[in-house]
Amino acid sequence: MKNKKSVSKKTRAASLESALGPLWKYYADTEVREIFINSFDKASAERKGKLEALPPLFSSRAAVTALVKNLAALPGSVSRRPGGAAGKVLELRLADLTKVTCAEGAAYQAVIISKMPAGLPGWAELVRHGCLPEEGKKLFEKILGEMKSVLVAGSNCSGKTTLMDILANGLPAGRRVVAIQGDSGLALRHPAALCLDASSDEEFVELLRSADKFLPDYLVVDSLDGIGAPEVVRAMRNGLAVIASCHAESALDALKRLEYMYLSSRTSFGLDEIRSLLASGIGYISFQERAADGKRRVTELSRLDGYEDGRYLLTPLLKYNYETGAFELTPAGKAALA
């Protein structure tokens, strides 16, 4: 008798191959991470961190529209429109956690397919590929054990979601994890994880406001970009340990962006009050970048020790030295591991 899981997996693969059509060749290539369609006659793929042009794959706009419809119709596919039912942007997450972002208007048509890496990475893979040193791994493990909130910041495509996955999946099995996500591709395999997928920005905020009712030990939020900042900070202030991510150009820039998001929510708090709230809620900030060679690294890990005299008290624990090409553990980092 054939294994049902094996048959189901083969059936899903066949359906995906049929839905992708001319893209399947590139999707099945393990060295390709992302596929970009800028118009029906212009496409490219990222292979090993480098972008390469693809030959014409579609004959018309209608063919690209059919591709999106076929992907949305796949079993296990989840879709959402961030701008509401009439929005021009459609986000899909396929059964294998591949993320598909589509936009179509009178003068444009674009599709981005971001594959989930085969075999979910862990700490060992990050260390082996030079994304993080062994000391950095130990620091993160110590932070998780302290039940402190962590803000994972970084530039676009720098590997924030991968680090979020590793942090959340590395929590003790006895901890309850609640993940609230919109368009991200978190691949949580923690035995006590509850994943709540929001189908709109409004639902995302509503779930954040009710997060404590799901009784989490850790709340995982990916990602804070324009919405949800006040709700996440409130959760931190209420004693929840939070792992959240946001786009930023440095650890300090991440805090500045959260300030702006908070102010944009029409809060009654002043800037100094918001900064105090952030400093009392966030325990640590990691920052990562994607280098010109395509490699993604955690280039800074800092502890947020408070807010005084108009400035955040950020204490670096780990830094990446671009001149030497090596990670450096600071005195504070060494003391934290002692």
Side-chain angles (χ1 to χ4, degrees), residues 60-229:
S60 64
R61 283 175 59 102
V64 177
T65 300
L67 164 73
V68 174
K69 289 182 178 179
N70 290 338
L71 291 175
L74 286 172
S77 178
V78 178
S79 64
R80 72 187 290 264
R81 289 190 180 274
K88 299 295 184 182
V89 177
L90 173 67
E91 296 168 344
L92 305 174
R93 190 162 66 252
L94 308 186
D96 66 353
L97 300 180
T98 289
K99 177 181 172 182
V100 184
T101 304
C102 321
E104 185 168 4
Y108 59 87
Q109 187 179 43
V111 179
I112 300 175
I113 300 175
S114 302
K115 294 165 52 181
M116 179 62 63
L120 297 176
W123 291 120
E125 286 74 22
L126 288 191
V127 173
R128 185 169 66 251
H129 292 296
C131 305
L132 185 74
E134 182 66 28
E135 294 84 357
K137 164 184 171 288
K138 292 178 180 178
L139 280 171
F140 274 116
E141 290 176 336
K142 184 177 179 64
I143 289 168
L144 293 178
E146 293 176 356
M147 295 290 290
K148 296 290 187 180
S149 292
V150 182
L151 181 62
V152 178
S155 53
N156 200 33
C157 298
S158 60
K160 297 185 296 297
T161 300
T162 298
L163 181 57
M164 292 273 289
D165 276 330
I166 294 173
L167 288 169
N169 291 321
L171 292 169
R175 299 292 188 187
R176 178 169 166 79
V177 180
V178 174
I180 298 175
Q181 57 183 344
D183 63 343
S184 72
L186 288 174
L188 295 188
R189 55 189 185 278
H190 189 280
L194 168 65
C195 298
L196 303 174
D197 296 331
S199 59
S200 66
D201 289 349
E202 293 76 13
E203 185 178 354
F204 182 72
V205 172
E206 181 184 354
L207 288 172
L208 287 176
R209 286 174 180 161
S210 305
D212 56 343
K213 294 180 173 59
F214 297 101
L215 305 179
D217 291 309
Y218 257 103
L219 175 64
V220 179
V221 184
D222 189 24
S223 60
L224 292 176
D225 290 306
I227 58 171

Side-chain angles (χ1 to χ4, degrees), residues 37-66:
I37 301 172
N38 295 337
S39 63
F40 76 87
D41 56 350
K42 291 182 181 178
S44 57
E46 181 197 292
R47 187 193 304 272
K48 293 184 176 180
K50 301 291 185 179
L51 203 61
E52 60 181 52
L54 301 181
L57 300 172
F58 300 95
S59 58
S60 64
R61 283 175 59 102
V64 177
T65 300

